[in-house]
Amino acid sequence: MGIPTRALAYFDEEPTFVHAARTLGIQAHLFTEPAEFTAHLRALGLPLTSRDRQEVPAPAFDARER
């Protein structure tokens, strides 16, 4: 795919797999609980809710566009 490994994020609950991903240069995180997972995603800059977005919200769906 041409994506550099440092641009990838990997999450798993198995420490062995997390370690293996890290040896490949991937940002790997041990999944322990949903709140921590959410915090990691936000730290990576991924918007999870409309509050996280810095952009203008998308226009509302218009049923006539079907």
Side-chain angles (χ1 to χ4, degrees), residues 29-50:
H29 307 277
L30 184 64
F31 178 87
T32 55
E33 60 182 54
E36 187 175 335
F37 176 65
T38 301
H40 278 296
L41 293 177
R42 284 193 173 114
L44 292 170
L46 299 172
L48 303 178
T49 67
S50 60

Side-chain angles (χ1 to χ4, degrees), residues 12-25:
D12 203 301
E13 60 188 348
E14 174 55 49
T16 305
F17 298 154
V18 172
H19 176 72
R22 286 179 180 160
T23 63
L24 297 173

